[in-house]
Amino acid sequence: MAHTKFRFIDFIKYFSLLIGVFVVLFPPYVVIVNAFKSTDEFNATSSTALPKSFLNFDNFVAVFERGGLLSGFGNVLFIIIITLTLNILFGTMVAYVLGRFSFKMKPMVFGAYLVATIIPSITTQVATFGIIKDLGLYNTLGAPIVLYIGADVIQIILYMQFIRNIPFDLDENAMVEGASLFKIYRSIIFPLLTPATATLVILKTIGIYNDMYIPYLYMPKQSLGVVTTVLMRFQGVNSGEWNLICAAILIILLPTVILYIFLQRYIFEGVTSGAVK
Amino acid sequence: MFGTLSYNKQKNIIIVSFLLIPLILLGTFTYYPAIKLIYYSFTNWDGYSPEKPWVGLANYREVFSTPDIFLVFKHNFAYFVMGIIQNIVAIYFAVVLNSKLRGKNAFRIMLFLPYIMNGVAVAFMFGYVFDTTNGSLNMLLNSIGLSGLSETSWLGTEGLVNYSLASIGFWRFMGYNMVIYIASLQAIPRDIYEAAKIDGAGTFQTLWRITLPNMKAVIQLNLFLTVTGALEVFDLPFVLTKGGPAGASQTYVMRVVDTAFAYNNYGLASAMSIILLFFVVFVLLIQQLVLNRGGDK
C-alpha cells in the first residue's frame, strides 16, 4: 500500500513539473518558430507550426538592417563595462571600510544603504530627472552610468560576508611586513573577493541589459538606444509584422540565456545569498 | 609615502576617501531626489519654470479627493492576486525540487529561465502569445478543445487585461521565488525531519508543522516584495498596452509618470509618489509587527 502511494506522489510531482516546463517553454517556442518564417509563410501557417527551414535568416538580417540593433548592443555594452568597473570598485571599497574598521558613523553608513532600498526609485525619478538635467547628463550615456554605479545594500552585504571570512591574520601579517592599508585592500581583500565579484558582475550585467525605464527616460535620442529601447522602437514601427518582431525578440533574449546556461551556478548563488540573508 | 603614516592615520584616511564618492552617489541619486520630491509635493511646479509656487497641502488634498486616482489601485490588485498565487506555486515547486527526485537540477534551471530574460522582449513575446487572432494561446486553447475560450481578447478586455498582464509577471518571477525558497529549505537542519519521522509524522504534517514554519522569514520577505511589486508595477502595461483599453490597465506608477512627464504636473506627481512611499513603509511596518509578534523563531 505504502509503496503505491509513494508512486502516486511521484507521478504528481513529475506531472506538475512537466506542466511548469511546458508553460515556461511555450512562449519562447512560439517566438523561435515564427522568427524563421517569411511573411507569406507566416500568414499561411499556424503560429505553433514549425517553419519550412531553420536556415531562413532573412528576418534576422532585416532586423539588424532596419532596427539599429548593433548600436543598441554597442551602447549597452559600453554602459555595462563602465558601470561595472566603477560599481565593483566602489562596492568593494565600502565593504572593506564597513567590514574591517569600526568607527562612530559606521551604523549610519550601513543604515543609509539599507533605508535606500525601500525608496521606490521608479517614482523618485520625477525628482532625479531634474538632477540629471542639471548635471548636463540628459541624453548622454552618462545618465544611466551614474544611476547604475551606486552600490546597493545586497551587494554590500554579500561583500561583507566574504570579508568576514577572510582571516584578519592576513591583514596583520601584511602590516608586520609594513604594507599600507591601501595595499592590503588592493592586494589581499580585493583579489579574495573575486568569487563575489563574479556573481555580482553577472547579475548586474543581466540587470542593466534588461532595464528599460532608465534608458527610456534619460536617453530618448535615437542614436543612444540600448537593446530594450531599440526593441520598443522597432515594435512601434513594424507592429503587426510578428515574424520580424519574433526575430528581434530572439536576438535580444539570446545573450542573457547563453550567459545563464554557462554561468548558472554564479547566478543562483547571487540570487539566494542576496535574499536569504 | 602613505605607507609611512601610522595605521591609525591611514585608517582615517581610508575611511574618508573610500566612502566619499559612494556616499556622494547615494546622497545625490537616492536621498536628494527623495527630499526634493517631498518639497515638490508642496508646490505646483510644472517641471520647467524657474519658480515653484508653494501650495501647501493642496496636492495631497487633490489626490485624496479624486477617487479616480485611487481607483487605479484596482488594476494593481490583479498583480497582488497573481503574486500570491505565484508564491504558493513557487513554494510548491521548491518543496518538490527539494525532495528526492531525478533530474531536479534540470527542472530548476528550466523554471528559473524566464527570470533572466529581457523584460521588454518578454512583454512583446506575450503580446504575440495573447494576440486575439494570430495568438498562439487561443490557438492552443482551440486545439485542446476549449474553442469557447479561443476567441478571447486577452489584452483587450477590461476585466481581463490586468490578470493577463499579471500572469506575465507570474511567468517571469515564479522561478526566482522558487530558487529563494529552495535555498531556505536547504537551510532547515536535516535532524528535525529525522526526529519528526521517528515520532511518526506524515508527509503533510511535516510540511505544515516543520517546513512552512521554518520558511516563515523568507515567505515574509517574498510577500513584502510581492506587495510592493504590485504597488509599483509599471513596465508590463507600459510596454504592452500603454494602459489600454481605455485606461483599464493603467497602474498607479504609470499615472504618476503621466502626471509628471505628459501633463507636466510635477507637484501632483510628487505628492502621489510620496503617498506610494508611505504605502511601502506602511506594508513594511505591518510585516515587521507581525514578524515580531509571532516571533518564536
Side-chain angles (χ1 to χ4, degrees), chain A residues 91-92 94-100 106 110 153-166 193 196:
Chain A
T92 50
V94 172
Y96 174 58
V97 169
L98 293 180
R100 275 299 195 240
K106 188 160 124 172
F110 186 74
V153 75
I154 287 175
Q155 174 178 18
I156 290 172
I157 289 175
L158 187 66
Y159 273 139
M160 281 172 70
Q161 280 172 350
F162 267 79
I163 290 181
R164 216 170 291 144
N165 290 331
I166 300 173
L193 289 176

Side-chain angles (χ1 to χ4, degrees), chain A residues 13 16 23 112 179 181 260, chain B residues 7 10 31 92 99 102 109 171:
Chain A
K13 280 179 184 172
S16 57
V23 171
L181 289 178
Y260 172 59
Chain B
Y7 279 115
Q10 281 190 32
Y31 285 100
Y92 168 77
S99 64
R102 258 166 202 267
I109 291 171
W171 185 85

Side-chain angles (χ1 to χ4, degrees), chain A residues 41-252:
Chain A
E41 192 189 354
F42 177 83
N43 290 333
T45 58
S46 140
S47 69
T48 49
L50 289 172
K52 264 186 263 171
S53 154
F54 274 110
L55 294 172
N56 171 20
F57 292 112
D58 294 355
N59 294 333
F60 298 94
V61 174
V63 170
F64 272 106
E65 276 171 359
R66 281 200 238 164
L69 211 58
L70 272 184
S71 79
F73 275 112
N75 286 334
V76 81
L77 199 66
F78 178 80
I79 293 171
I80 287 171
I81 290 171
I82 304 288
T83 301
L84 288 187
T85 310
L86 294 170
N87 168 274
I88 295 302
L89 204 62
F90 294 149
T92 50
M93 278 160 48
V94 172
Y96 174 58
V97 169
L98 293 180
R100 275 299 195 240
F101 306 126
S102 53
F103 52 100
K104 232 191 265 157
M105 300 287 279
K106 188 160 124 172
M108 276 190 67
V109 173
F110 186 74
Y113 277 101
L114 197 61
V115 172
T117 49
I118 62 157
I119 300 176
S121 66
I122 200 157
T123 55
T124 50
Q125 299 303 334
V126 172
T128 311
F129 197 74
I131 298 168
I132 292 290
K133 268 198 164 151
D134 290 344
L135 291 172
L137 293 173
Y138 180 66
N139 247 335
T140 70
L141 291 171
I145 290 175
V146 296
L147 291 173
Y148 294 140
I149 47 176
D152 58 87
V153 75
I154 287 175
Q155 174 178 18
I156 290 172
I157 289 175
L158 187 66
Y159 273 139
M160 281 172 70
Q161 280 172 350
F162 267 79
I163 290 181
R164 216 170 291 144
N165 290 331
I166 300 173
F168 196 65
D169 292 354
L170 286 180
D171 299 42
E172 277 174 347
N173 287 344
M175 284 185 206
V176 170
E177 284 168 23
S180 69
L181 289 178
F182 181 75
K183 184 144 196 252
I184 291 172
Y185 159 76
R186 204 196 58 196
S187 11
I188 296 175
I189 304 290
F190 189 83
L192 285 175
L193 289 176
T194 307
T197 300
T199 298
L200 286 166
V201 164
I202 296 160
L203 282 183
K204 282 180 184 279
T205 298
I206 293 174
I208 296 172
Y209 181 86
N210 288 347
D211 187 34
M212 173 269 290
Y213 193 45
I214 285 176
Y216 171 80
L217 211 54
Y218 295 104
M219 301 190 301
K221 203 200 267 179
Q222 188 101 24
S223 62
L224 293 180
V226 296
V227 281
T228 47
T229 46
V230 166
L231 180 61
M232 282 165 78
R233 255 179 240 139
F234 185 80
Q235 198 269 351
V237 177
N238 301 288
S239 74
E241 292 193 65
W242 280 112
N243 52 335
L244 276 182
I245 295 167
C246 283
I249 291 172
L250 204 57
I251 294 169
I252 284 166

Side-chain angles (χ1 to χ4, degrees), chain A residues 13-14 16 23-24 30-31 34 42 46-47 102 112 116 120 131 175 179 181 210 213 216 256 260 264 275, chain B residues 7 10-11 31-33 92 99 102 108-109 116-118 125 128 136 139 171 221 232 234 238 257 276-277:
Chain A
K13 280 179 184 172
Y14 280 111
S16 57
V23 171
V24 164
V30 172
V31 164
N34 288 295
F42 177 83
S46 140
S47 69
S102 53
I131 298 168
M175 284 185 206
L181 289 178
N210 288 347
Y213 193 45
Y216 171 80
T256 52
Y260 172 59
Q264 19 129 338
Chain B
Y7 279 115
Q10 281 190 32
K11 180 186 134 183
Y31 285 100
Y32 182 53
Y92 168 77
S99 64
R102 258 166 202 267
R108 187 181 65 153
I109 291 171
I116 53 104
M117 289 186 173
N118 185 295
M125 181 162 83
Y128 183 46
S136 34
M139 209 155 288
W171 185 85
L221 172 77
E232 295 168 15
F234 172 76
F238 177 74
V257 172
L276 180 67
L277 180 60

Side-chain angles (χ1 to χ4, degrees), chain B residues 134-194:
Chain B
N134 293 315
S136 34
L137 179 63
N138 282 344
M139 209 155 288
L140 183 76
L141 289 172
N142 205 13
S143 68
I144 58 171
L146 294 169
S147 51
L149 283 173
S150 67
E151 304 282 302
T152 315
S153 171
W154 298 99
L155 297 176
T157 311
E158 260 182 51
L160 198 60
V161 59
N162 291 304
Y163 286 91
S164 301
L165 289 169
S167 66
I168 305 175
F170 178 107
W171 185 85
R172 254 187 101 194
F173 296 112
M174 192 285 290
Y176 172 77
N177 290 135
M178 180 195 78
V179 164
I180 291 173
Y181 284 130
I182 290 177
S184 85
L185 281 173
Q186 286 167 347
I188 304 174
R190 290 279 115 201
D191 42 340
I192 303 186
Y193 286 105
E194 317 251 301

